[in-house]
Amino acid sequence: MPRFFLENSGEISIVQSTSRIKAFGELMKFRLSSLVVISAVLSYLTVSNNPSWSQILFLCLGGFLITGASNGFNQIIEKDLDLLMNRTMNRPLPTLRLKRLESVIFCSIVLISGVGLIWYFHNPLAAIIGLASALLYTIAYTPLKRITPFAVFVGAIPGALPPLIGAVASTYGFGEITYEAWVLFSIQFIWQFPHFWAIAWVLHDDYQQAGFFMLPSFSGRSKASAFQVLVYCLFLIPISILPSIFLFHSWITGTIIFLSSVWFFIFALKLFRDCSVEAARKLMFASFVYLPVVQLLILAGKWIHQL
């Protein structure tokens, strides 16, 4: 066989291998999964009195694998629907870069590995919650999106479980859900609604092509939908100051959290007033900023209190 053919064959093989690795990374939504893990780590640091860097490492790895597997199973189920939407038609399964069976096997191994890591290096309860979040996201939230707007409520539960997992991972024995864990969970749970609905407002036309009901009202981009966004942002204000009451006593960080929640509410108020895509887009970007800022302030409040 000619030397140049062998060399070219090797180059083609490397390119194909790299392409498949990239495809599996897209299946797991690498960047999104990494961002989700951050909330778990911040909650772990907030609740833990004796944080361990090795435990943080395995919480990151285990949480990333569980979240990535959930994203993968979601794409497996919605393979044909992804073809109908502009933002998803180039995913690995619709473009046939990955086959469904190999994706199922891959995601199953990834999910079991993630649950196993958290079980072994943290505690069984944190691992069970992680598994429950993956199953709830895949089995309940994913099919409900084409049936009812209530799907967002269901999806908000696994979406808010990472901080609960992080908080439980900091406990010992079988694991324990403390009141601190519930406080951290509640903030991310309520935040999910304006966050999801702002995205759904911007992408409403695309979601309609696949028959997804992602806005809170069947009327779509309407005052009724905007009003519900406004209400949840309003609820977020008192809920976001719960850490100031139960987790620490730093008036500095507590005040900043309160002002951040009011700032976030103003974006929802503008959406209710205008009902425009531009207002929803601004709310969406505000939601990206709001949650990590609040979670970092909660952690900072604990550290200030301990000084």
Side-chain angles (χ1 to χ4, degrees):
M1 185 177 293
R3 179 180 177 82
F4 77 89
F5 183 78
L6 289 172
E7 290 175 347
N8 288 341
S9 297
E11 291 175 2
I12 292 171
S13 178
I14 292 172
V15 170
Q16 290 176 337
S17 298
T18 303
S19 178
R20 285 182 64 77
I21 292 172
K22 182 180 178 182
F24 281 117
E26 291 178 34
L27 186 69
M28 295 179 67
K29 295 184 180 178
F30 187 89
R31 285 182 295 179
L32 177 61
S33 297
S34 300
L35 290 172
V36 169
V37 169
I38 292 175
S39 64
V41 173
L42 291 176
S43 293
Y44 170 87
L45 291 172
T46 299
V47 176
S48 177
N49 293 319
N50 186 27
S52 163
W53 287 111
S54 61
Q55 282 202 332
I56 292 172
L57 174 63
F58 288 111
L59 176 62
C60 287
L61 183 56
F64 173 78
L65 293 176
I66 292 172
T67 304
S70 302
N71 291 328
F73 282 124
N74 175 264
Q75 292 184 53
I76 292 167
I77 294 170
E78 296 182 346
K79 172 182 176 292
D80 296 330
L81 297 174
D82 282 344
L83 273 171
L84 304 176
M85 295 184 289
N86 295 326
R87 70 181 187 87
T88 57
M89 62 173 55
N90 292 319
R91 284 177 173 175
L93 286 164
T95 55
L96 303 180
R97 284 178 290 147
L98 293 176
K99 297 179 181 178
R100 179 167 276 170
L101 179 59
E102 67 179 340
S103 299
V104 170
I105 294 172
F106 173 77
C107 289
S108 299
I109 293 172
V110 167
L111 177 60
I112 293 170
S113 300
V115 171
L117 284 172
I118 293 180
W119 185 298
Y120 183 80
F121 289 100
H122 291 278
N123 57 64
L125 183 57
I128 291 169
I129 296 173
L131 177 60
S133 70
L135 294 176
L136 188 59
Y137 184 83
T138 302
I139 297 174
Y141 167 68
T142 298
L144 279 175
K145 286 192 291 183
R146 301 191 76 216
I147 300 173
T148 172
F150 184 73
V152 173
F153 180 88
V154 176
I157 298 173
L161 284 178
L164 189 69
I165 294 169
V168 173
S170 69
T171 61
Y172 299 97
F174 180 77
E176 180 185 0
I177 302 179
T178 62
Y179 72 89
E180 294 98 335
W182 285 120
V183 168
L184 295 168
F185 167 84
S186 65
I187 293 172
Q188 187 150 324
F189 177 73
I190 297 299
W191 167 85
Q192 293 276 321
F193 294 94
H195 170 70
F196 275 141
W197 288 334
I199 294 173
W201 197 293
V202 173
L203 300 175
H204 181 65
D205 295 334
D206 217 19
Y207 282 133
Q208 287 282 286
Q209 294 184 68
F212 290 151
F213 297 103
M214 301 302 292
L215 285 171
S217 171
F218 283 110
S219 57
R221 292 171 175 154
S222 65
K223 281 285 185 182
S225 293
F227 178 73
Q228 292 194 55
V229 175
L230 186 68
V231 168
Y232 276 89
C233 283
L234 182 62
F235 284 161
L236 194 57
I237 295 175
I239 289 174
S240 67
I241 63 175
L242 289 178
S244 303
I245 301 171
F246 294 106
L247 303 187
F248 56 80
H249 301 281
S250 170
W251 68 268
I252 299 174
T253 52
T255 301
I256 298 173
I257 290 173
F258 173 77
L259 292 175
S260 298
S261 300
V262 172
W263 170 79
F264 189 43
F265 173 78
I266 290 172
F267 284 96
L269 193 60
K270 290 179 179 177
L271 176 61
F272 179 71
R273 182 189 64 192
D274 300 340
C275 288
S276 67
V277 173
E278 184 58 29
R281 185 175 285 109
K282 289 179 180 179
L283 177 64
M284 178 182 70
F285 285 119
S287 73
F288 293 146
V289 174
Y290 174 82
L291 185 66
V293 166
V294 168
Q295 290 176 334
L296 284 169
L297 285 168
I298 292 171
L299 178 59
K302 174 194 173 183
W303 287 346
I304 292 173
H305 179 60
Q306 290 177 343
L307 293 177

